[in-house]
Amino acid sequence: MTNEPAMSADPFQGERPRHTHFHERQAALNVREAWSAWNGFRFADYYYDPEYEYFCIRNFCGTYDICPMQKYYISGPDAAAMLDRMVTRDIKKLNVNRVTYCVWCTDEGRIVDDGTIFRISEDTYMLTCGSPSVSWLRKSAIGFDDVTITDMTDEIAGLSLQGPTSYSTLKAMGLEGLETLKPFGIMRFPFNGVELMVSRTGFTGDLGYELWIDPSQALAMWDALYAAGKDFGIHPYGETATDMARLEAGFIMPDMELSESLKTIHFEHDQSPFELNLGWLVDFKKPHFNGRRALLEERERGPKWTLVKLDIPGNKVAEGAIMYDTEDCDNEIGYVTSAMWSPSVKANIALAMIKTPALKGDIWAEIYYQKELRYYRKMALCEVKDKPFWMPARTRQTPPEVYS
């Protein structure tokens, strides 16, 4: 006999990613076993093939698990005032059953995170964001006597349904009246004795919805949704296809375009709203908010960097490319954050951070690409685009087109 503790059969017990509320159904469909982790949850990179999944959401509809997304209720008479102090947008303008995109900053005007705020009742808001933010929310609530912060991440199952046949699928599921729901709106429906909240939101730049339900009915909702969508090409899609779709829409992605300011080490390796072309999210007409003074100064002098959309000649993806102001690499002016060959746009596209003064001249990308195990180099003269690469009319069309 010894006093040594028994060895666990699993040396990593307690450290493995948790399963989301939809994992049982997703695991059966993930034939490649292509998993990663997001906020401590097991999360699909892809199920079968990323490009196949991408085409599913561009031509039919697909589901994307958003259970790992952080979800917080901010409630009480002071909820609106507290959020208005924290974020750069005027939250008091947000009506009940509406959603808005927002960012929040440090006092230096650097972005802590971005996310969406749902006004689900007169005094209750739901904030969704990519990274855990409960500590920042609690700090932001200091000085507000009547506000409650509740972490609802495990209490709400979230599933995104995106693509042109998403409305037809939900209509076939029996969600009557959904045709009147406008972008960034919220509707509620009864489902198996609980409430199913549907928002017309998403991260693909296409027609789409997000479904929010009590975890006890998550699998039942999945089954009902897939039964309704069987004639509309419904498939699951993972993070890789999401990244392709959001880049076409010109949306920023954390750890690519956005470095959260509380996580960076090097000075100014984070970003401000103006640097990410999100100045439209900053409302200087409202009273004081975090970072207001610094952002006002930045607006007057102009941002050091500006995120731009680029159309690049040829088909060599500019991933990781360094940008110059001349073809002979005379002066480095920026870097690519995301790049891809767009199947829908049929173009070589990228997002890049460029030194703002350099936007007045030419922008060249130094691209390295591989061909039969050899690396080659080319210089490409880029064209700055003002509009999203992909944003079809159906994204905002109300009522949406019905497929049969």
Side-chain angles (χ1 to χ4, degrees), residues 317 319 367-378:
V317 175
E319 187 173 0
I367 303 172
Y368 286 84
Y369 62 96
Q370 190 182 68
K371 184 177 181 180
E372 295 180 344
L373 304 181
R374 290 190 181 187
Y375 274 96
Y376 295 84
R377 172 184 176 271
K378 67 171 290 187

Side-chain angles (χ1 to χ4, degrees), residues 24-54:
E24 183 178 339
R25 297 294 186 269
Q26 293 178 128
L29 296 171
N30 196 331
V31 296
R32 302 296 188 189
E33 291 288 339
W35 302 99
S36 60
W38 178 19
N39 288 335
F41 288 91
R42 190 180 297 275
F43 190 69
D45 277 334
Y46 58 94
Y47 291 82
Y48 174 70
D49 178 80
E51 289 195 2
Y52 177 83
E53 294 163 27
Y54 160 86

Side-chain angles (χ1 to χ4, degrees), residues 12-322:
F12 301 102
Q13 188 172 7
E15 309 238 349
R16 295 182 180 277
R18 296 186 291 156
H19 292 167
T20 73
H21 304 298
F22 301 107
H23 180 77
E24 183 178 339
R25 297 294 186 269
Q26 293 178 128
L29 296 171
N30 196 331
V31 296
R32 302 296 188 189
E33 291 288 339
W35 302 99
S36 60
W38 178 19
N39 288 335
F41 288 91
R42 190 180 297 275
F43 190 69
D45 277 334
Y46 58 94
Y47 291 82
Y48 174 70
D49 178 80
E51 289 195 2
Y52 177 83
E53 294 163 27
Y54 160 86
F55 280 111
C56 284
I57 58 176
R58 284 292 183 241
N59 294 290
F60 303 104
C61 67
T63 58
Y64 177 66
D65 189 354
I66 51 176
C67 288
M69 183 179 291
Q70 302 297 286
K71 300 173 280 288
Y72 302 100
Y73 274 6
I74 299 95
S75 58
D78 287 340
M82 173 258 172
L83 286 171
D84 213 38
R85 171 68 169 75
M86 186 181 89
V87 306
T88 61
R89 294 197 88 165
D90 191 343
I91 294 303
K92 293 180 179 178
K93 294 179 180 179
L94 185 63
N95 294 325
V96 175
N97 291 329
R98 296 293 296 171
V99 186
T100 191
Y101 174 59
C102 60
V103 297
W104 48 102
C105 300
T106 63
D107 287 342
E108 292 75 27
R110 316 303 287 181
I111 295 178
V112 175
D113 204 350
D114 68 338
T116 51
I117 294 179
F118 297 63
R119 190 171 187 179
I120 56 181
S121 71
E122 189 65 30
D123 290 331
T124 302
Y125 297 79
M126 181 174 75
L127 171 68
T128 69
C129 52
S131 296
S133 297
V134 66
S135 295
W136 189 262
L137 286 166
R138 287 172 179 168
K139 289 179 181 179
S140 300
I142 294 174
F144 296 94
D145 297 329
D146 206 345
V147 61
T148 301
I149 311 296
T150 308
D151 189 342
M152 299 294 290
T153 303
D154 291 339
E155 310 305 319
I156 301 174
L159 190 68
S160 186
L161 177 69
Q162 303 289 307
T165 64
S166 56
Y167 166 69
S168 297
T169 296
L170 293 174
K171 179 178 174 64
M173 189 177 162
L175 304 190
E176 297 296 330
L178 190 66
E179 67 276 3
T180 64
L181 185 62
K182 296 181 179 180
F184 294 97
I186 299 170
M187 293 187 75
R188 295 171 175 82
F189 303 89
F191 183 87
N192 285 1
V194 301
E195 180 182 87
L196 169 60
M197 185 174 78
V198 179
S199 58
R200 190 167 167 181
T201 48
F203 197 49
T204 64
D206 213 318
L207 174 66
Y209 303 84
E210 291 173 333
L211 285 64
W212 314 89
I213 198 166
D214 186 277
S216 65
Q217 296 302 315
L219 294 182
M221 185 196 74
W222 176 286
D223 293 341
L225 184 66
Y226 269 72
K230 65 181 180 180
D231 293 328
F232 299 107
I234 191 169
H235 279 81
Y237 66 97
E239 183 67 8
T240 305
T242 299
D243 191 36
M244 295 172 67
R246 70 89 195 170
L247 175 51
E248 288 180 334
F251 296 153
I252 64 171
M253 175 75 87
D255 297 325
M256 299 191 79
E257 286 73 39
L258 171 63
S259 297
E260 298 168 20
S261 59
L262 300 184
K263 298 179 181 179
T264 55
I265 297 174
H266 194 285
F267 177 64
E268 290 190 348
H269 274 195
D270 51 13
Q271 293 80 31
S272 75
F274 293 111
E275 290 178 340
L276 292 177
N277 253 326
L278 297 177
W280 57 277
L281 293 179
V282 184
D283 190 344
F284 288 111
K285 295 180 181 179
K286 72 171 187 173
H288 183 69
F289 55 88
N290 284 14
R292 188 181 195 279
R293 179 176 298 175
L295 290 171
L296 190 58
E297 292 175 356
E298 185 180 9
R299 185 183 69 170
E300 295 303 315
R301 69 173 183 266
K304 293 181 179 179
W305 297 85
T306 300
L307 183 72
V308 296
K309 307 174 189 70
L310 296 177
D311 187 340
I312 303 174
N315 61 0
K316 306 306 180 187
V317 175
E319 187 173 0
I322 301 296

Side-chain angles (χ1 to χ4, degrees), residues 204-205 245-251 309-310 345 349 351 385-392 395:
T204 64
R246 70 89 195 170
L247 175 51
E248 288 180 334
F251 296 153
K309 307 174 189 70
L310 296 177
V345 183
I349 64 174
L351 297 179
K385 309 296 285 188
D386 294 328
K387 296 182 179 180
F389 304 110
W390 173 265
M391 195 68 69
T395 303

